[in-house]
Amino acid sequence: MSSDTKLKFGRKVISVEEARSLLFEYVKHTPIESVPLSSAFGRRLAVDIVADHPVPHFRRSGVDGYALCSKDIEQATPEAPVVLRVIERIPSGTVPQLTIQSGMAARIMTGAPVPDGADAVVMLEMTDSLQDAGTSTYNVSIKKNIPAASNITPIAGEIGLGDILLKQGTQIGPGEAAILATFGYSYVSVYRQPRVAIFSTGSELLNVAEPLQPGRIRNSNSYMLAAQVEAAGGSAVIMQVLSDDVAEVEAALQETFSKVDLVLTSGGVSVGDYDVLVDVFERFEGKLLFNKVAMRPGTPTSAALWNNRLLLALSGNPGASFVGFELFAKPLIKAMAGCHSPYPVAITAQLDVDYDKGSAYPRYVRGTTNVVNGCLKVKPSGIDKSSIMVSIKDADCLIYLPAGGKGFIRDERVIIYPIQ
């Protein structure tokens, strides 16, 4: 058997977990860069963020009302209110000028600093103003007693000095952005988005703008994969469509590796006469990691290390390419960008239809979920064939179906992997 035939037909099959493990031996974080906070949404922190001041850094009122001494109103009731003299008005963003003493109160707004001497803030709804027209000071009638510390957030009540606010690897969302802004991070240290080059192979492929021709199809895989790359947190670079010429493919890959963090190819990895990636792997100077995975679809998914960069070669069938990306490329991109838990979390759902296909390998079926009476249901997204493209848009998960058997029946519990 020739070496070429051996690569095509003498492949060693490995599990999805083994394939992931081989890939992750070579994962490296992308370089750190500083970006404006306004551009940091979805990126991952490259450093821990530590509080350099407490929050709040002053005693803060939690309500609109009156700051006062709680002892003054211990006996206050609606029938027998306590009257206090209002000596100051404290809007948010200002600093109190006076100290509260017994018999006094200060009108205060939500978020404003509580004046010295006051140990509680009574809500405005529990008071009646006795202000005379044209006067700057007035009396207020307090109709309810409250304990000390009511409606006051103490210094460091939310965050203490030196607390770790956000850990390295945290993805920046709305809450994280609020914390970073609170602590003055107008620029943030994040991992650079992994640059991912995408090649589709095959002489039958047309560019998107080209008119249809007999026997040829437009290149849809590159744009599907680019969208998946961006959703995973990477930066996609769509490259030219490659023909079935081995030398052309090898030269294009060699030129690209130094410019990106990961190379994805679609097509050319099966056992056909024109599956060009197999021929490239036969002659290239890199390290072939695997070329057959125990999975349906996408069994011939392959990977290699070339010029210290990973190459992930996906099946050319759209469904298989989509699934292969979710299982292998997405975790790689997330890990490169600093994610500590890059793999999808498995949850269970109830199969909403019969599925009568058994398989020698585990299946990862594109699925659509629905909640019925509080129960999570799932079914395949349209026709379950790897060559079918239109059902990809409806998939929000991958349904994991173990190998063997004659299929699965409706209402059976299955594992699914949500696609975000």
Side-chain angles (χ1 to χ4, degrees), residues 154-407:
I155 294 173
E158 286 189 41
I159 298 169
L161 176 66
D163 286 355
I164 295 180
L165 304 169
L166 301 169
K167 289 186 175 294
Q168 175 265 338
T170 298
Q171 189 171 33
I172 299 172
E176 291 77 13
I179 290 173
L180 290 164
T182 295
F183 284 86
Y185 284 89
S186 57
Y187 278 78
V188 189
S189 292
V190 296
Y191 292 106
R192 176 175 55 72
Q193 290 178 294
R195 299 189 186 110
V196 183
I198 299 168
F199 289 97
S200 286
T201 65
S203 299
E204 77 279 10
L205 296 178
L206 297 167
N207 290 323
V208 172
E210 290 186 86
L212 284 178
Q213 300 175 23
R216 302 186 70 186
I217 58 174
R218 294 190 181 99
N219 171 25
S220 62
N221 278 3
S222 287
Y223 294 89
M224 175 187 72
L225 290 170
Q228 288 178 282
V229 167
E230 298 285 341
S235 177
V237 184
I238 296 178
M239 309 299 290
Q240 75 271 26
V241 173
L242 299 177
S243 71
D244 296 321
D245 181 86
V246 178
E248 177 194 339
V249 173
E250 184 176 18
L253 293 175
Q254 285 279 23
E255 183 182 355
T256 303
F257 274 111
S258 62
K259 303 174 184 177
V260 297
D261 304 294
L262 174 67
V263 173
L264 296 180
T265 63
S266 173
V269 290
S270 193
V271 296
D273 291 343
Y274 298 99
D275 284 317
V276 67
L277 263 298
V278 179
D279 297 325
V280 171
F281 289 147
E282 171 61 30
R283 54 188 274 172
F284 85 133
E285 296 179 356
K287 177 182 180 181
L288 182 66
L289 301 181
F290 57 84
N291 61 2
K292 188 174 184 179
V293 183
M295 57 184 278
R296 295 269 197 266
T299 304
T301 299
S302 305
L305 186 71
W306 206 352
N307 292 348
N308 209 31
R309 292 287 192 276
L310 283 170
L311 165 66
L312 182 61
L314 304 173
S315 170
N317 279 326
S321 185
F322 179 86
V323 169
F325 181 94
E326 293 297 319
L327 292 179
F328 302 114
K330 178 186 280 187
L332 282 177
I333 293 167
K334 292 174 69 173
M336 289 176 179
C339 179
H340 296 306
S341 302
Y343 295 125
V345 176
I347 60 176
T348 60
Q350 204 169 44
L351 202 56
D352 207 21
V353 293
D354 290 334
Y355 189 90
D356 58 6
K357 293 182 182 179
S359 176
Y361 296 138
R363 285 187 181 274
Y364 294 85
V365 180
R366 292 159 284 161
T368 303
T369 57
N370 185 35
V371 177
V372 180
N373 296 325
C375 180
L376 184 62
K377 304 275 191 174
V378 67
K379 63 182 178 181
S381 301
I383 301 172
D384 180 36
K385 290 185 178 180
S386 62
S387 59
I388 299 297
M389 173 265 296
V390 293
S391 61
I392 292 173
K393 65 179 176 56
D394 299 317
D396 61 14
C397 70
L398 296 180
I399 309 169
Y400 172 76
L401 300 175
K406 297 182 179 179

